Amino acid sequence: MGKIFIDACFGKETPYTPVWMMRQAGRYLPQYMEVREKAGDFLSLCHNPQLAAEVTLQPIDILGVDAAILFSDILVVPNEMGMKLRFAKGEGPIFDEPIRNMEDIKKLKSPIEAANNLTYVYETIKIVREKLDDSKALIGFAGAPWTLVTYMVEGRGTKTYSIVKKLIYTNPQMMHSLLKKVTEAVKLYLEKQIEAGVDAVQIFDSWASALEKEAYFEFSWKYMKEIASYLKQKYPHIPIILFPKGIAGYLDDIDGEFDVFGVDWSTPIDLAKSKLGHKYVLQGNLEPTRLYSKEAIKEGVEKIANIMQNKRHIFNLGHGILPDVPVENAKYFIKLAQEITAK
Ligand code: CP3
């Protein structure tokens, strides 16, 4: 049996519209919390292939989603480039020694070395692919170079992005040399994920909306496209999903060699359909906070299903699931999306 998720990525007819959720392997699941406890902490869980594989598979068993996403984090890449990473309670990820000048960039490990060091990820993929039903897909992922660089330069999450954006306007050359190095690492990393057995890849550009249009295309989209073209040439059978969050105003200029465009919740899906639906399959975009209410889920799912008409669509949230969503509501969303689109 083929994989309905993969067929849908290539715009083929499927018995229903497949569905998965960004951040589906995570804290809203009590079973995840148990395994994280066993591992010790979040990063130790990422480094433990056996346990990382277990949490990757949880949403398949518990929710019945059509695809599993590899359990890891986008920040393991800068971490393996030599930047010390920690997750502080209530604060999220922190690099205590952020990149601030050319010397710091030169000190980073080479992209090849970084990609080679991520063995625990490739090991996780092999274990998952062995245990996962053949009809389900395994999605690998990486952060977009721009999103990774925001953390590498700021050192932590930010509201204004002022340190990293200042570089764009005061030292664009330095910005490009950092982005080039990270782009190389991401290319090799995704290539190795594919060689280890993932069926599709997604690139998360979570902080796309921090940039004005010209800057977005020069400092982010250009590099996303470069990674996509590189992978498409080598692995045409592996679907590529690009998810730039919050750029509804820039859709007219979106192009490139990839298969699926991830629509975030702030981009109306009818707008995305009219601008990009003929070129790319669309993934998304239920507003994640709708998961707090079954009525809100039903209303949102019906609206999206009506617009997409079961064609060239993959159901998902418009960003990651939040940690305090009731599991029952997540189940309701998955089942409803599958049933309402069944032919
Ligand atoms: O989607 C999945 O279920 C797969 C696993 C996954 C995680 N992070 C696990 C995680 C994926 C795909 C990511 C991507 C990621 N990580 C992004 C891009 C996607 C997005 O949501 O925008 C970003 C920006 C990060 C960086 C990151 N990691 C942040 C900002 C945080 C802290 C905020 C938070 O949600 O806690 C993390 C930690 C993180 N990554 C957790 C998980 C399950 C929580 C850690 C824990 O407490 O167990």
Side-chain angles (χ1 to χ4, degrees):
M1 197 168 115
K3 295 175 178 52
I4 139 161
F5 174 81
I6 300 298
D7 284 349
C9 286
F10 289 127
K12 293 185 193 154
E13 280 266 334
T14 51
Y16 59 87
T17 300
V19 54
W20 68 284
M21 291 186 297
M22 289 188 273
R23 295 290 192 102
Q24 68 187 11
R27 286 165 297 187
Y28 72 104
L29 288 174
Q31 293 91 336
Y32 166 82
M33 296 310 287
E34 267 173 45
V35 178
R36 196 184 74 178
E37 191 76 19
K38 243 200 283 182
D41 56 38
F42 172 65
L43 264 183
S44 309
L45 179 52
C46 293
H47 293 155
N48 184 324
Q50 209 66 44
L51 296 182
E54 195 177 326
V55 294
T56 301
L57 291 164
Q58 282 174 348
I60 295 273
D61 299 332
I62 299 166
L63 307 173
V65 289
D66 295 285
I69 181 160
L70 166 72
F71 183 82
S72 185
D73 198 81
I74 59 167
L75 299 178
V76 295
V77 170
N79 188 209
E80 296 300 348
M81 291 178 92
M83 298 187 70
K84 242 195 307 145
L85 170 65
R86 64 188 171 91
F87 284 83
K89 276 227 158 60
E91 266 197 278
I94 296 175
F95 293 113
D96 285 310
E97 292 166 41
I99 304 279
R100 291 293 159 81
N101 52 50
M102 270 318 281
E103 280 312 299
D104 295 337
I105 298 177
K106 288 201 187 105
K107 272 192 274 175
L108 290 171
K109 288 189 189 152
S110 75
I112 296 177
E113 203 179 341
N116 284 345
N117 283 351
L118 288 150
T119 47
Y120 46 91
V121 174
Y122 316 133
E123 200 50 44
T124 304
I125 292 168
K126 285 182 193 152
I127 300 172
V128 173
R129 202 51 275 181
E130 241 169 62
K131 294 187 177 171
L132 188 61
D133 192 283
D134 254 358
S135 66
K136 309 273 184 177
L138 172 60
I139 305 168
F141 71 90
W146 161 249
T147 288
L148 292 175
V149 160
T150 62
Y151 286 102
M152 293 168 80
V153 171
E154 298 274 347
R156 56 184 69 214
T158 161
K159 282 206 169 73
T160 61
Y161 303 88
S162 58
I163 310 174
V164 66
K165 285 173 69 174
K166 183 175 173 186
L167 273 184
I168 282 185
Y169 299 104
T170 60
N171 198 346
Q173 270 163 317
M174 176 183 153
M175 196 61 195
H176 279 303
S177 43
L178 180 55
L179 284 162
K180 277 184 192 149
K181 205 160 182 178
V182 174
T183 298
E184 282 315 303
V186 170
K187 272 188 204 167
L188 298 173
Y189 179 46
L190 288 175
E191 182 167 8
K192 282 175 173 289
Q193 290 188 30
I194 293 169
E195 295 288 346
V198 299
D199 306 298
V201 296
Q202 172 157 326
I203 303 179
F204 287 88
D205 200 1
S206 306
W207 311 135
S209 68
L211 295 174
E212 64 173 318
K213 188 173 176 182
E214 296 77 3
Y216 185 66
F217 285 94
E218 180 179 347
F219 292 91
S220 184
W221 191 250
K222 181 179 122 182
Y223 293 103
M224 303 261 280
K225 283 205 298 190
E226 193 182 313
I227 298 164
S229 303
Y230 175 80
L231 296 174
K232 226 357 50 171
Q233 269 189 0
K234 281 191 127 163
Y235 307 99
H237 60 291
I238 300 288
I240 299 172
I241 309 165
L242 299 185
F243 175 68
K245 185 173 176 291
I247 55 150
Y250 311 164
L251 297 185
D252 281 330
D253 291 45
I254 290 295
D255 67 346
E257 288 177 85
F258 63 97
D259 305 285
V260 182
F261 183 83
V263 185
D264 76 284
W265 59 265
S266 71
T267 302
I269 198 149
D270 47 357
L271 179 73
K273 187 183 175 191
S274 70
K275 303 256 186 215
L276 297 174
H278 56 291
K279 279 200 282 190
Y280 304 109
V281 168
L282 300 181
Q283 173 177 279
N285 76 341
L286 190 79
E287 148 65 271
T289 24
R290 279 189 182 266
L291 291 190
Y292 291 117
S293 147
K294 284 194 180 163
E295 293 81 61
I297 294 170
K298 186 158 188 288
E299 184 189 62
V301 167
E302 281 173 354
K303 186 172 163 225
I304 295 167
N306 262 330
I307 291 167
M308 294 312 296
Q309 293 289 316
N310 303 343
K311 281 191 201 79
R312 300 174 61 74
H313 182 222
I314 293 160
F315 252 111
N316 202 318
L317 304 176
H319 199 192
I321 185 170
L322 295 159
D324 60 345
V325 162
V327 178
E328 187 198 328
N329 289 12
K331 276 189 197 164
Y332 176 76
F333 163 55
I334 301 301
K335 200 153 181 277
L336 184 66
Q338 290 167 336
E339 282 177 3
I340 214 172
T341 58
K343 285 160 196 158

